[in-house]
Amino acid sequence: MQWRFLPGLVPSLFCVAVLALQGCSLARVDDNLPYGILNNNDLQLVEDGLPTYLLMVDGLIENWPESESLLASGADLYGAYAGLFVEDPARARKLSNKALNYAFRAACAHDKDYCELRSLSVPEYEALLADAGKGDVPVLFTLGGAWAGYIQQNTSDWNAVAELGRVEATMKRVTELDEGYQYGQAHMYLGVLNSILPASLGGKPEVAKAHFEQAMNLSEGKNLLAPVMYAEKYARLMFDRELHDRLLKAVLEADPNVHGLTLQNTYAQEQAKALLADADDYF
């Protein structure tokens, strides 16, 4: 399996956390990406074809450099491609950096108060989030996803890792404003972030469990990645084999063909197979 993310104690535990979530960002339900991608169940075909879209979006952004929707789509596409399909670390870092740059630019195009997000102190950043409204949710979700992907690909840079708290604060605000957005996938991010460490080391596995279950409830079983992440991040952390296998078997029995989620669900089923295949070795 290709779960990667954050070096040392934190990186070794967090390195498996966010890769799959990059797949989520590809499934924005309100963007301009063709449903021919989102509803495709051939991961190899999408991997081969996505570079064409990357170049196309780059060209469109050159012509409309302040278009929020184009910049957000560029962030989603580059983040998904870097997280899911790129094996070379240097290349993945380059692409994830571009995704984050597009996400920051999208935020700035959305609201001028968001133009200097990275230079804000933590209290200033949290105050800005507190002032956000429901109309800010799409750009905040895109930013949080791209930022998590950037940290994932820059695990040796502790300046990048130190920004993780801002990702969590961003996704928390999304759930406060519109927890059903993107089938509740902000809860999935928060589930991952709270299951990095066991409780004995300061983790919050029961908080993670609540977030994973809420993500599943909000999607009404349509988002198959939520139970996969629940099994991978919580059930394995707690050595709960029964929960682990039950979640993954249900994913494999489900119909992955959901409008706007088919690609993501197909990926989730591949990961479910891989997790079940090595379950005996893990447990």
Side-chain angles (χ1 to χ4, degrees):
M1 294 180 64
Q2 295 293 324
W3 306 94
R4 297 170 299 197
F5 196 101
L6 280 171
L9 176 61
V10 171
S12 65
L13 293 168
F14 200 39
C15 67
V16 295
V18 181
L19 171 61
L21 299 175
Q22 284 302 301
C24 308
S25 64
L26 188 59
R28 291 198 335 166
V29 296
D30 63 345
D31 65 13
N32 298 317
L33 295 177
Y35 280 103
I37 293 177
L38 303 180
N39 292 333
N40 199 299
N41 63 4
D42 188 327
L43 293 173
Q44 185 63 56
L45 180 62
V46 173
E47 178 181 358
D48 293 341
L50 267 181
T52 299
Y53 280 95
L54 298 179
L55 294 174
M56 180 184 71
V57 171
D58 283 342
L60 292 171
I61 290 173
E62 285 292 326
N63 286 325
W64 293 279
E66 297 183 2
S67 168
E68 178 186 345
S69 62
L70 286 175
L71 290 164
S73 292
D76 287 348
L77 278 167
Y78 272 98
Y81 187 69
L84 294 177
F85 300 124
V86 178
E87 297 294 331
D88 178 66
R91 184 168 176 244
R93 286 194 295 272
K94 182 187 296 185
L95 295 173
S96 66
N97 185 62
K98 189 164 188 176
L100 182 58
N101 178 261
Y102 276 158
F104 279 131
R105 288 174 59 184
C108 181
H110 174 77
D111 188 329
K112 295 306 179 185
D113 288 340
Y114 291 179
C115 289
E116 301 296 333
L117 290 179
R118 215 167 192 177
S119 65
L120 297 179
S121 66
V122 171
E124 289 172 333
Y125 188 78
E126 292 176 343
L128 192 61
L129 290 177
D131 286 338
K134 193 169 183 178
D136 301 313
V137 165
V139 75
L140 291 177
F141 183 81
T142 289
L143 177 62
W147 215 336
Y150 168 82
I151 296 170
Q152 171 192 346
Q153 303 297 348
N154 290 273
T155 57
S156 62
D157 181 354
W158 286 100
N159 288 323
V161 174
E163 295 177 329
L164 187 58
R166 298 177 187 236
V167 175
E168 183 172 10
T170 302
M171 290 306 186
K172 280 184 178 178
R173 188 57 177 149
V174 170
T175 63
E176 292 166 356
L177 292 169
D178 185 3
E179 67 172 353
Y181 181 73
Q182 286 283 25
Y183 296 95
Q185 293 186 106
H187 279 289
M188 212 159 47
Y189 276 90
L190 293 170
V192 168
L193 294 173
N194 283 283
S195 56
I196 296 169
L197 299 171
S200 61
L201 295 177
K204 300 177 181 178
E206 293 310 308
V207 173
K209 178 181 180 180
H211 282 300
F212 284 130
E213 291 184 346
Q214 184 67 345
M216 292 170 60
N217 290 336
L218 289 167
S219 80
E220 299 180 334
K222 295 177 181 178
N223 174 18
L224 301 184
L225 192 58
V228 170
M229 295 299 290
Y230 188 9
E232 165 72 12
K233 304 313 302 164
Y234 175 82
R236 289 199 170 202
L237 178 68
M238 305 302 290
F239 288 94
D240 189 336
R241 177 72 182 268
E242 187 279 329
L243 175 63
H244 177 272
D245 289 3
R246 174 166 53 83
L247 289 167
L248 298 176
K249 288 176 181 178
V251 166
L252 295 178
E253 293 170 359
D255 182 359
N257 297 301
V258 176
H259 185 62
L261 286 175
T262 300
L263 178 68
Q264 176 174 306
N265 286 345
T266 301
Y267 173 83
Q269 288 187 325
E270 286 199 359
Q271 303 313 307
K273 291 177 185 177
L275 286 167
L276 282 171
D278 76 351
D280 286 342
D281 292 334
Y282 186 87
F283 292 99

